[in-house]
Amino acid sequence: MTSGGGRRALVALLAIAAVAVSGCNSKSGSGSGPVQDTGAGSVSGLPVTHFESGLKSGAPTPSLDVRNADGGEDDKLATAAIDDVQTYWGEMLPSDFGVQFEPVKSLLSYDANTDTEETGCGSVKKLVNAFYCPTDDSVAWDRGVLLPMLRKRFGPMSVVVVLAHEFGHAVQYRLGDKAGITKSTPTVVKEQQADCFAGGYFRWVAEDKSKYYQVSTSEGLNQVMASMFLIRDQAGTSAADRGAHGTAFDRTFAFQAGFEKGPKECAAMNTENVKARLTERPFDKGDTGKGDAKFNDQAVELLKKSLDEAFKGAGVAAPEINDGGSCTTTAPASYCPDDNSVSIDLAKLAELAQPIDREAEMKGEDPGGMGDFAAFSEVASRYALGIQKGVGASIDNPNAGLRTSCLVGAWAAFTNRPGDLRLSAGDLDEAIADLLQPESLVSADVNGKRPDSGFDRVESLRRGYLEGSSVCSKQYG
């Protein structure tokens, strides 16, 4: 986040007050719309499941011809993924679009460390990547660096999501006008659509329709979301950049849209509706900290002021924020119901607020902190619990954590304007980084209990940010 910019009156989030007063005690599913598909016990209408994700026991051996393959573990995963995703699109293209499916013409495996194979798009020498090449209708992947790095960090389904995404580009060419993609379509729009297509495929796998793969809706999808976070664009990238793929927030949005609504939703993505919701942007002029402010006493004062302003319409006493404080239930930030305060460990939060070391992160080493907005979000989540308690909402039921992270998302949107504390490029990705951690507080209830599904945790923040605070009780009552 950035501080400064002068005192400027901001419009209060009156809708948050309406949420807290009218909706927080309602039962999920009591209203119209897809309420029954959300909440701590469901992942987009599917049950929350726990099992090892990856190749099924007894999965068949693909009969695909892969040039330069070495038969190792990553080639096996990638080849099975291609065969599987082709089966999926063999079903979906005719049923959803009336288009006959045609497999890609060739597949290439290579080692970025040593190989110099050629494709219709050029040499793969030193290319740590996976890609679809429209010139020769091929899919290629780096089995030497990229795939093993992802598999070791996030498990086998991270390899699958990369190949499902790349195959999404092949689908764009097969759909033609029905995908709305032209030569002038910005790269980020094409990438968003491909992420969405990958989400549709993963829904099919989660519904146990794949002969190769199984994915749990808790740990399995958590690993997929974490791998998508890793391959996000660098903070401060412009969505207009030729190679832009999107922030982690943008990429997970597209993946979840496909998972929840299917490939027709993906094909409807276009320049207009994608750009309207993209969060990817350059750093603001004068943002000398490149989006990261020091988390100190002054930052806490600005945070308190911002939260007070955002939630003042609730008409309840605002929690105080104290370093030390009266309880440590969920350190480094805890909501203390007895005296309506938020107790923080300023030193620990300052460590969390340190910028992510991107180089270390890519190497699988300790990236240091998670960025200032991760710390701001943890404190904001505890503050939001106080507001909810003040209006009579439960702060320890199964949905309390999701409702809280949804309100944090709504508050983040509130700060996305000039003021003393303003949302910076990359901030929402820092919140997602925190949400995907097992010990995250952003989606935890007053006792620190959080939903098992990282998919749900990320979705709740995203919905609050994009849809406003009113959705928070409607979906997570």
Side-chain angles (χ1 to χ4, degrees), residues 186-438:
T187 300
V188 71
V189 177
K190 298 175 185 176
E191 300 300 335
Q192 285 281 284
Q193 192 178 78
D195 283 337
C196 185
F197 283 147
Y201 161 72
F202 264 81
R203 174 66 179 237
W204 183 78
V205 176
E207 292 174 343
D208 199 28
K209 295 178 180 178
S210 165
K211 64 182 178 181
Y212 288 104
Y213 286 105
Q214 59 185 15
V215 64
S216 72
T217 56
S218 53
E219 295 85 2
L221 286 182
N222 291 1
Q223 292 167 348
V224 171
M225 302 285 278
S227 63
M228 295 190 77
F229 174 82
L230 180 71
I231 55 179
R232 70 198 184 277
D233 285 343
Q234 184 78 24
T237 300
S238 169
D241 283 4
R242 186 174 181 180
H245 280 52
T247 65
F249 185 92
D250 297 330
R251 300 199 70 171
T252 54
F253 173 97
F255 178 87
Q256 290 184 320
F259 190 95
E260 293 165 358
K261 299 178 181 179
K264 286 185 178 179
E265 178 75 11
C266 308
M269 289 184 175
N270 55 43
T271 301
E272 183 180 4
N273 58 37
V274 168
K275 283 192 171 182
R277 60 159 173 80
L278 282 179
T279 63
E280 189 161 50
R281 61 183 174 87
F283 290 114
D284 295 329
K285 186 177 180 180
D287 186 357
T288 56
K290 298 299 183 184
D292 281 303
K294 290 184 178 180
F295 197 89
N296 52 26
D297 289 330
Q298 181 183 11
V300 173
E301 289 178 7
L302 292 174
L303 174 61
K304 175 71 163 67
K305 178 182 176 183
S306 175
L307 290 166
D308 287 350
E309 187 72 18
F311 287 93
K312 67 182 180 182
V316 298
E320 294 298 323
I321 302 176
N322 303 311
D323 186 12
S326 61
C327 69
T328 56
T329 311
T330 59
S334 307
Y335 174 63
C336 312
D338 290 346
D339 62 2
N340 190 36
S341 68
V342 175
S343 173
I344 67 171
D345 183 331
L346 187 62
K348 289 291 185 183
L349 287 167
E351 292 178 11
L352 178 66
Q354 290 298 305
I356 296 174
D357 184 333
R358 185 74 164 139
E359 185 176 346
E361 180 188 34
M362 294 302 293
K363 292 179 180 178
E365 301 171 354
D366 183 358
M370 291 186 189
D372 65 341
F373 198 71
F376 282 119
S377 294
E378 291 209 349
V379 178
S381 74
R382 304 304 88 187
Y383 181 103
L385 286 169
I387 298 297
Q388 292 172 78
K389 180 179 182 294
V391 298
S394 172
I395 57 175
D396 62 358
N397 70 4
N399 277 343
L402 292 177
R403 190 190 325 119
T404 296
S405 57
C406 182
L407 289 173
V408 172
W411 166 72
F414 171 76
T415 67
N416 192 23
R417 65 192 77 190
D420 291 328
L421 197 65
R422 183 178 185 181
L423 197 71
S424 295
D427 277 348
L428 291 171
D429 285 4
E430 294 168 3
I432 288 176
D434 192 87
L435 281 165
L436 290 173
Q437 297 298 311

Side-chain angles (χ1 to χ4, degrees), residues 56-126:
K56 290 181 173 180
S57 176
T61 300
S63 57
L64 299 177
D65 181 23
V66 181
R67 181 160 59 103
N68 199 43
D70 71 353
E73 183 174 2
D74 294 298
D75 270 346
K76 289 178 181 178
L77 290 170
T79 306
I82 293 294
D83 200 28
D84 207 39
V85 80
Q86 289 195 142
T87 299
Y88 169 74
W89 286 112
E91 296 176 7
M92 302 310 296
L93 283 186
S95 65
D96 280 12
F97 303 100
V99 174
Q100 190 64 34
F101 174 74
E102 292 290 338
V104 293
K105 289 183 171 60
S106 66
L107 301 170
L108 170 67
S109 169
Y110 66 92
D111 186 335
N113 293 308
T114 58
D115 291 344
T116 58
E117 298 288 325
E118 292 286 334
T119 73
C121 295
S123 172
V124 299
K125 184 178 181 180
K126 303 296 183 184

